[in-house]
DNA sequence: CTGCCTGCAAACGATTTGCACCAGC
DNA sequence: GCTGGTGCAAATCGTTTGCAGGCAG
């Protein structure tokens, strides 16, 4: 069990963040965050929903999806990239990394020789046979240009929806 | 336009890889690879399908999906993780990285202080405001334990399917 | 000639949305 | 009480699968 941050502390953080963002602190939000914290893997929304259902029956799957979305928005949770779920492709080539906009998902390649020779971790302890790596830098793209603190979003949080139109990605060179 | 590797060279590589894997070299495979190479963003399968449709009308979306899958399998293309498409969550906490199995998608956390202070790239040129990063180490997990060269897969390439059951991810600590 | 690949259409699973009701502040 | 959150069910989107015929080797 690895608890860098206690669940209680995180719940307080949730409370604070909700207040800052003017979001009601609902039992569902609390339950989803608790459920997420008790798993140390990277559960899918549905897995979280299952866990939530155990501690707070009656919470709908839809709500879990929405709450997770909110938690990500207020920066208390994060969506993890996963090849099994990903849907974007590139040609396999030289080592490079990605700049990813957490707002809209816009993503561009990055090459930086300083980052090309990182030490490989002792993956053997995990039974992993590593062959490659790439770094994902998270932030805000020019278009989204959000204040990094997210203190006062132009658009109310609950109205913002993840950018879904992948055509935007086409604007990089 | 950045072409580290010429399209022609990649097509030759495709030819070679197909031969090595005992896969027929079809016009569709060629077309999909070409389409993918001509984009420098990270297109979705559907976007690739659109491009392919322009140069080789009549290629079905299904085929594009299958071909992309094949290209990834023979290591000439890669699925890129993308938050907009991902479906796994974790609590936002200290910096950590991920070991990801390219076979089954199994993913575990990794902490390595050597990797915690990487230099941030000159993201301003791209208009990005970076706040964080995480490294994705790709490889093969213990369970999959594939020979990294993929020279002689136990299971014929065309029969292998990506592991889709997320419950496996639950086995890490 | 044989087997894999492709195209089509239907199936599928995950996620999102519209609407009415309920709860937090 | 007002505003936004939630639940339900239906819609949607991306992706996969079964099957018959076509093409590469």
């Amino acid at each position: 069990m690895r608890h860098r941050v206690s669940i209680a502390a995180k719940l307080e953080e949730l409370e604070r963040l909700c207040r800052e963002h003017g979001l009601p602190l609902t039992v569902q939000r609390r339950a989803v965050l608790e459920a997420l914290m008790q798993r140390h893997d990277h559960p899918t929304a549905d897995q979280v929903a299952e866990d939530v259902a155990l501690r707070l029956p009656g919470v709908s799957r839809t709500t879990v999806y929405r709450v997770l979305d909110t938690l990500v928005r207020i920066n208390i949770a994060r969506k993890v990239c996963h090849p099994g779920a990903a849907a974007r492709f590139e040609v396999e080539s030289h080592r490079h990394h990605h700049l990813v906009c957490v707002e809209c998902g816009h993503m561009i390649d990055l090459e930086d020789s300083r980052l090309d020779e990182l030490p490989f971790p002792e993956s053997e302890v995990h039974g992993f046979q590593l062959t490659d790596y790439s770094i994902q830098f998270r932030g805000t793209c020019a278009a989204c240009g959000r204040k990094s603190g997210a203190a006062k979003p132009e658009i109310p949080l609950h109205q913002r929806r993840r950018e879904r139109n992948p055509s935007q990605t086409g604007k990089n060179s």
Side-chain angles (χ1 to χ4, degrees), chain A:
Chain A
M1 277 296 196
R2 154 165 56 80
H3 273 310
R4 287 307 176 81
V5 182
S6 73
I7 293 193
K10 268 290 174 187
L11 286 176
E12 277 178 36
E13 193 182 334
L14 174 65
E15 198 177 330
R16 179 175 57 79
L17 285 170
C18 281
R19 220 177 299 119
E20 283 180 12
H21 287 284
L23 300 175
L25 179 61
T26 64
V27 278
Q28 289 89 341
R29 282 177 181 157
R30 231 188 294 259
V32 168
L33 180 58
E34 279 185 48
L36 187 57
M37 284 207 73
Q38 299 208 328
R39 297 193 65 134
H40 295 293
D41 53 349
H42 309 84
T44 62
D46 277 353
Q47 288 176 315
V48 174
E50 281 174 36
D51 292 357
V52 169
L54 297 177
R55 73 184 63 228
L56 189 66
V59 176
S60 81
R61 191 146 309 210
T62 309
T63 295
V64 173
Y65 277 94
R66 278 188 287 222
V67 168
L68 282 171
D69 203 48
T70 304
L71 295 185
V72 170
R73 280 238 226 17
I74 64 179
N75 270 304
I76 199 168
R78 183 189 296 156
K79 253 188 181 175
V80 184
C81 286
H82 193 280
R88 282 159 185 269
F89 300 84
E90 64 183 7
V91 177
E92 177 95 21
S93 57
H94 54 288
R95 173 160 298 160
H96 69 276
H97 312 289
H98 296 122
L99 304 184
V100 182
C101 177
V102 295
E103 273 306 283
C104 69
H106 183 206
M107 177 185 216
I108 66 181
D109 286 348
L110 169 86
E111 293 169 47
D112 189 326
S113 54
R114 295 176 300 171
L115 303 173
D116 286 352
E117 298 300 339
L118 297 188
F120 270 49
E122 293 296 332
S123 57
E124 292 69 32
V125 297
H126 299 286
F128 263 78
Q129 189 85 29
L130 300 182
T131 57
D132 191 20
Y133 68 84
S134 98
I135 310 174
Q136 177 193 66
F137 289 93
R138 281 184 288 272
T140 314
C141 74
C144 293
R146 182 185 59 157
K147 330 301 160 285
S148 54
K152 189 177 174 300
E154 334 61 46
I155 308 171
L157 266 180
H158 60 278
Q159 282 178 27
R160 288 195 279 157
R161 290 275 98 121
R162 180 187 336 119
E163 180 59 58
R164 222 163 328 166
N165 182 355
S167 63
Q168 168 182 30
T169 320
K171 73 186 175 193
N172 66 333
S173 61

